[in-house]
Amino acid sequence: MNEAGTAPALPEDILIVDDISPNLKLLRDILKEAGYRVRSADNGELALRSIQARAPVLILLDVRMPGMNGLEVCNHLQADPATREIPVIFISALNSPEDKTHGFAAGGVDYISKPFDKSEVLARVHIHIMLRQTQLMQKQQAEHLREEIRQRLQAEAALQVAHDELESRVTARTRELKETNIALQASEQRYTDLYNNSPDMYASVEAATANILQCNQTLADKLDITKAEIIDRPIFDIYHPDCMPAAQSAFHSFVETGEVHGAELQLKCKDGSKLEVELNVSAVHDQAGKVLYSRSCWIDISKRKQAEQELTQYRHHLEELVAERTAALENAKEAAEAANHAKTLFLANMSHELRTPLNAILGFSQLLQADKTLSDKARSNLEIINRSGNHLLVLINDVLDMSKIEAGQVMVDKENIELGGLIRDLSDMMKVRAKAKGLQLLLAQDVGFPCYVQADESKLRQIFINLLGNAIKFTRQGVIHFRLACHSMAQNGHVEIQCEVQDSGIGIAAEHLDRIFLPFEQLPLDPALDTGQKGTGLGLALTKQYIEMMGGQITLESQPGKGSCFRFQLPLAKGKASTLATHVEPEPGRVVSLTPGQGEYRILIAEDHPDSALLLQQRLEGVGFSTKIAVNGREAVDLFRDWQPHFIWMDMRMPLLDGYAATARIRKLPGGDSVKIAALTASTFKQQEAEIFAAGCDEVLHKPYLEREIFTLMQRQLDLHYQSIAVPDETSKVVFSDLNVESLSHLPKSICNDLHEAVLDLDDEHIIQLVAQIRQLEPATADAVQTLSDGYRYEELLMLCEHSLKERK
């Protein structure tokens, strides 16, 4: 939004996707009032179809919706190059950090919390372009970092090549010198020939006087003087003054030992310049073994010295570059680790801040439902609040699970489960879905299939749901076979369960089989076989990952037009019915009071959040407990010392002194070793549970919690008995529309076609105009269309229009 508070000029419109009608209307009114053109959809499938028909400039997307949720819609958009760049702002009733992380991982660019703040909505819509620019900058920085890594590798390779080349040249030159010395010793003739014709410089030096007796022409040529200027002159006259001490040392070594090898010296040229040489000397002895004179050879190593100097400079330069790149990479690594740590802290803090108020929302709405004076409308509104709250709780938990997967913290939690019951529940649930599409789901289970195993129930359940759900989704007609078998594994006494899910659906082409288990993979479908069903591309990837984490493997056979068959095997340890976890449950119905005769129970509530403390106090005092509230850890310790409660509800995050420290202090006080302490926490990470028990708590209750969970936990710890009343089971009322294909067939084809296009485009203004036209022809049909439109039931309306147009062809 600009400084005047109006919407910027946009070439296209904004799409709002939310299954809650009031939310759609509220957002549409806010944006239209600001000058935006708005479309709206009440479910993800319809939104995708509208986006494919005409792409919006921005999408406001509800996270949790029936059918395809917001994250799945966003994943689909990210997988399609045509829609990948459309900014998506997620909308939800709670600004959960896990919720945000989940949304950002799916491709969202921002997050707006419910209830909506008008200024926030307008501001976030305006700045999404700035967020996109920031994303591009980050991509450029990542590319720059990769380029630096590439340059570093090239520099290291070049340094190694230079080092190898130098060693090769040194080795080659050393070999040449040895060959030369051998040749000199082999025969006098060869020595004379080499002496006269060698490109190297040779001379004979008398040991007694250090005078040059003879030299070859090469030495004279190199020094740019005549041989006459060399012969009968002291050997030290041809050396440069800078190397005189080394030259004298070499001569003395020759006199004493009769040889010199590899002495690097400098000869003096006529113009005073230096000639870099390597000196090798052998002696000629008399019959008594006395050294008479030398055979001295100077090898011009100027080029080698120059090459060594250049290589040394280049090596130093490369080392500096490598050091700089290494420091830069180290800084980048530290920055990334700091960012990950900050993200973890943010998720933990926001999890507490979201789940704590959600606890109050769900708790007080449940308390209000017990009020018999409520009107039907108020009770219906409370049911909506409860459903929405529970929906958000599931969403928060899903975000936490996704964050664990991203952080590589997913672990296989083996526990004793009733596999037979799990299969029955899943089969019953999936049969309902299959029947709704006119399909059959047939379960074939071996007689020896185990009833109890040790496995990760949540992951096993997700594997079955993903495979059966895909089979139902991509099958138009026919039968889906769900086959289960097992056999014993003699080596360890385990059993291997074998599962097969076979459908008669659209199938997968052979060239795409290797890609089907890749994350976010969307395979192209033959238009003749395309069901119109699109997924996130993540389900099968997670299924394969879970199966492999549990020690199994999955395979696939498929033919286009005939169907697919997924098979997997899992090795599982046998379980026992006697080891299944059992829980103490309170009497059926709502707890209203303690059973008379149990005495007074003092309950201390240590909770810094006023709403959560009040909720828990009202629930406990409502059934007959005596309570006191401490707003921080220090106050909790003082109240325990003075009041000696029987039970403590301890919030683990409080000011001044947190629940961990407060619990540890209470355990050290008189009576602290016997009091029952239950931790209240908004965290769902298992490592934190270990810290809670280590601090001295007896049990853990996660926010938001249900009323029955409170009383069940206290019953388990204090051996309590309650009086309860039955709670009536109320069913929801559903409003149906009288619209059908036959009623639409009475309308002109042009109006039906226009209605189809308006619904596909989510153009509610055009729909209103068409309803007015229909009312002049068919008033009852107009009312039915209006009912579906007002309820944002666009998918039903779109399906009826398509069937009507199809029958007219």
Side-chain angles (χ1 to χ4, degrees):
M1 182 172 291
N2 57 30
E3 294 181 357
T6 60
L10 295 174
E12 296 295 340
D13 52 2
I14 298 174
L15 174 62
I16 306 172
V17 187
D18 196 321
D19 61 319
I20 306 301
S21 301
N23 292 340
L24 281 175
K25 184 176 183 305
L26 175 59
L27 284 173
R28 188 174 63 247
D29 292 346
I30 290 174
L31 295 176
K32 283 188 175 181
E33 181 181 346
Y36 292 98
R37 182 181 176 187
V38 181
R39 289 186 283 162
S40 54
D42 65 341
N43 63 73
E45 291 85 353
L46 184 59
L48 288 177
R49 295 186 65 179
S50 178
I51 293 168
Q52 291 170 354
R54 179 161 56 89
V57 70
L58 176 65
I59 300 173
L60 298 181
L61 182 59
D62 188 16
V63 175
R64 191 69 174 182
M65 297 182 293
M68 180 181 293
N69 62 36
L71 297 178
E72 293 174 330
V73 173
C74 193
N75 283 329
H76 178 81
L77 296 176
Q78 290 295 306
D80 189 346
T83 59
R84 184 177 299 154
E85 299 302 322
I86 300 176
V88 177
I89 300 178
F90 283 110
I91 54 177
S92 179
L94 291 177
N95 57 348
S96 164
E98 296 87 355
D99 200 7
K100 292 180 179 179
T101 301
H102 205 166
F104 292 156
V109 299
D110 210 336
Y111 205 95
I112 298 177
S113 300
K114 301 177 183 178
F116 307 115
D117 179 80
K118 177 179 179 182
S119 60
E120 179 188 4
V121 171
L122 295 177
R124 291 185 183 272
V125 167
H126 179 71
I127 67 171
H128 73 275
I129 297 178
M130 296 175 61
L131 294 178
R132 177 60 180 164
Q133 293 173 344
T134 301
Q135 181 184 10
L136 292 175
M137 184 180 300
Q138 292 174 344
K139 289 182 179 178
Q140 293 173 354
Q141 292 173 349
E143 182 62 28
H144 179 68
L145 182 58
R146 286 192 291 270
E147 177 62 21
E148 287 186 346
I149 294 173
R150 185 187 66 79
Q151 291 178 0
R152 176 187 175 186
L153 294 176
Q154 288 180 342
E156 291 177 348
L159 180 61
Q160 184 62 41
V161 169
H163 180 269
D164 294 343
E165 181 181 356
L166 178 59
E167 285 190 348
S168 176
R169 293 179 64 180
V170 171
T171 302
R173 195 58 177 166
T174 301
R175 183 172 61 253
E176 290 177 3
L177 291 175
K178 289 182 178 180
E179 292 173 354
T180 300
N181 290 332
I182 293 173
L184 289 173
Q185 297 171 3
S187 70
E188 185 66 24
Q189 183 60 41
R190 292 176 60 189
Y191 171 80
T192 302
D193 184 65
L194 178 63
Y195 182 83
N196 291 326
N197 300 291
S198 173
D200 294 328
M201 297 161 278
Y202 290 98
S204 298
V205 181
E206 188 176 25
T209 63
N211 288 339
I212 301 173
L213 301 176
Q214 188 56 269
C215 71
N216 67 353
Q217 187 60 41
T218 305
L219 177 60
D221 293 341
K222 289 283 187 180
L223 300 182
D224 196 22
I225 57 179
T226 64
K227 292 176 65 175
E229 294 177 279
I230 298 175
I231 297 174
D232 292 332
R233 299 287 301 276
I235 185 64
F236 302 111
D237 287 355
I238 68 172
Y239 284 112
H240 196 278
D242 289 349
C243 76
M244 195 58 65
Q248 293 173 346
S249 176
F251 183 77
H252 292 155
S253 177
F254 152 68
V255 173
E256 294 175 0
T257 65
E259 59 183 7
V260 175
H261 296 290
E264 295 187 0
L265 303 169
Q266 297 90 38
L267 299 181
K268 181 179 66 175
C269 298
K270 183 177 181 179
D271 61 1
S273 62
K274 295 179 181 179
L275 178 64
E276 297 285 346
V277 294
E278 180 183 286
L279 174 63
N280 292 279
V281 181
S282 63
V284 176
H285 302 82
D286 61 13
Q287 293 181 352
K290 181 180 178 181
V291 175
L292 298 177
Y293 58 88
S294 72
R295 297 187 184 101
S296 300
C297 174
W298 292 271
I299 301 172
D300 186 352
I301 60 172
S302 300
K303 292 183 179 179
R304 191 186 79 184
K305 282 290 186 179
Q306 182 180 359
E308 289 177 354
Q309 184 178 4
E310 291 176 354
L311 287 173
T312 299
Q313 294 175 350
Y314 187 55
R315 185 181 72 251
H316 290 161
H317 177 64
L318 291 179
E319 288 176 349
E320 291 175 357
L321 288 178
V322 170
E324 292 175 359
R325 299 295 185 267
T326 301
L329 291 173
E330 187 65 28
N331 291 336
K333 176 185 176 183
E334 292 175 358
E337 290 175 349
N340 286 335
H341 181 65
K343 175 183 176 182
T344 301
L345 291 177
F346 177 77
L347 288 174
N349 291 333
M350 292 307 298
S351 173
H352 178 269
E353 295 303 324
L354 289 172
R355 295 171 69 91
T356 297
L358 182 59
N359 177 62
I361 292 172
L362 291 175
F364 280 110
S365 66
Q366 292 170 3
L367 285 177
L368 287 173
Q369 283 182 312
D371 188 352
K372 297 181 179 179
T373 64
L374 286 177
S375 64
D376 292 340
K377 182 177 181 180
R379 191 173 301 279
S380 176
N381 290 338
L382 280 177
E383 291 173 355
I384 293 174
I385 293 173
N386 248 330
R387 286 196 301 269
S388 298
N390 285 309
H391 164 79
L392 289 174
L393 176 58
V394 172
L395 186 60
I396 290 171
N397 291 335
D398 288 344
V399 170
L400 286 174
D401 290 341
M402 181 58 69
S403 67
K404 294 176 185 177
I405 292 175
E406 293 175 348
Q409 297 179 356
V410 177
M411 303 295 291
V412 176
D413 298 324
K414 292 185 179 180
E415 57 181 348
N416 203 66
I417 66 172
E418 185 184 359
L419 183 58
L422 174 63
I423 296 298
R424 286 193 303 273
D425 293 343
L426 289 175
S427 178
D428 292 342
M429 178 180 69
M430 288 301 179
K431 282 182 179 179
V432 174
R433 292 176 56 180
K435 186 177 181 180
K437 288 192 64 176
L439 305 173
Q440 280 187 291
L441 175 61
L442 301 180
L443 172 63
Q445 182 173 323
D446 282 359
V447 176
F449 197 76
C451 291
Y452 303 99
V453 295
Q454 294 180 20
D456 190 320
E457 183 173 6
S458 63
K459 291 182 179 61
L460 195 57
R461 179 186 300 272
Q462 194 61 48
I463 290 169
F464 287 129
I465 290 176
N466 286 347
L467 294 179
L468 291 172
N470 273 0
I472 295 172
K473 178 187 293 185
F474 294 105
T475 302
R476 285 184 172 180
Q477 59 184 4
V479 179
I480 297 170
H481 294 278
F482 183 24
R483 304 184 182 98
L484 296 167
C486 78
H487 71 269
S488 298
M489 302 173 67
Q491 62 271 26
N492 54 15
H494 290 191
V495 295
E496 181 182 76
I497 66 168
Q498 300 169 340
C499 174
E500 184 176 290
V501 177
Q502 183 177 10
D503 61 59
S504 56
I506 60 177
I508 303 168
E511 61 268 23
H512 300 315
L513 292 179
D514 292 339
R515 299 164 48 199
I516 193 65
F517 293 109
L518 297 178
F520 304 107
E521 188 67 31
Q522 296 287 335
L523 301 183
L525 299 177
D526 188 328
L529 301 174
D530 194 350
T531 65
Q533 300 285 350
K534 301 292 183 181
T536 64
L538 188 59
L540 288 178
L542 288 175
T543 297
K544 184 174 184 292
Q545 180 182 1
Y546 287 158
I547 290 174
E548 292 177 349
M549 288 175 63
M550 298 169 71
Q553 59 181 358
I554 184 170
T555 58
L556 165 64
E557 294 179 2
S558 184
Q559 289 185 337
K562 294 185 178 181
S564 303
C565 183
F566 289 86
R567 297 184 181 91
F568 71 86
Q569 300 83 34
L570 278 180
L572 300 175
K574 295 180 180 179
K576 296 180 180 179
S578 59
T579 61
L580 289 175
T582 57
H583 302 281
V584 177
E585 296 291 344
E587 289 79 358
R590 186 189 303 277
V591 174
V592 295
S593 67
L594 289 165
T595 302
Q598 297 185 82
E600 180 190 39
Y601 282 93
R602 297 181 298 277
I603 312 299
L604 174 59
I605 302 171
E607 170 67 78
D608 66 317
H609 194 278
D611 294 339
S612 295
L614 178 61
L615 170 64
L616 190 53
Q617 184 181 46
Q618 288 186 8
R619 280 176 164 169
L620 296 176
E621 291 184 349
V623 300
F625 292 105
S626 296
T627 66
K628 286 189 178 183
I629 295 176
V631 298
N632 57 63
R634 290 181 183 175
E635 190 173 328
V637 174
D638 294 339
L639 277 174
F640 172 78
R641 183 187 296 110
D642 299 336
W643 195 43
Q644 290 292 306
H646 299 89
F647 187 95
I648 302 175
W649 286 108
M650 181 70 72
D651 185 22
M652 303 314 291
R653 293 187 57 166
M654 293 185 294
L656 299 182
L657 191 69
D658 62 24
Y660 299 93
T663 300
R665 292 188 184 183
I666 289 173
R667 289 302 187 194
K668 296 178 181 179
L669 296 175
D673 58 342
S674 60
V675 65
K676 301 298 183 180
I677 303 177
L680 293 172
T681 177
S683 170
T684 60
F685 292 97
K686 290 197 172 182
Q687 58 268 32
Q688 292 188 355
E689 284 194 9
E691 296 173 1
I692 289 172
F693 288 120
C697 293
D698 297 293
E699 286 204 44
V700 179
L701 185 61
H702 296 280
K703 299 177 183 178
Y705 43 76
L706 299 176
E707 181 181 272
R708 64 173 178 271
E709 292 177 324
I710 298 171
F711 296 122
T712 300
L713 189 151
M714 295 181 68
Q715 180 183 30
R716 188 163 51 242
Q717 292 295 329
L718 300 177
D719 193 23
L720 301 173
H721 299 281
Y722 303 115
Q723 290 183 333
S724 305
I725 60 173
V727 178
D729 183 18
E730 299 182 358
T731 58
S732 301
K733 297 181 179 180
V734 181
V735 178
F736 295 93
S737 168
D738 294 330
L739 189 64
N740 52 46
V741 176
E742 182 180 358
S743 59
L744 288 177
S745 65
H746 298 305
L747 299 177
K749 183 178 180 180
S750 59
I751 292 181
C752 191
N753 189 65
D754 289 345
L755 182 60
H756 176 268
E757 294 300 322
V759 174
L760 184 61
D761 199 35
L762 301 177
D763 190 342
D764 52 353
E765 295 181 358
H766 193 193
I767 294 174
I768 293 174
Q769 296 173 2
L770 292 171
V771 168
Q773 295 180 33
I774 296 172
R775 195 174 303 280
Q776 297 177 1
L777 303 173
E778 298 286 342
T781 302
D783 291 339
V785 172
Q786 185 71 53
T787 298
L788 292 177
S789 177
D790 290 345
Y792 298 99
R793 294 158 65 183
Y794 293 132
E795 188 172 19
E796 298 177 40
L797 188 54
L798 186 64
M799 181 184 65
L800 291 171
C801 289
E802 289 175 346
H803 282 291
S804 177
L805 291 172
K806 183 177 180 180
E807 290 184 356
R808 296 170 188 248
K809 292 182 180 180

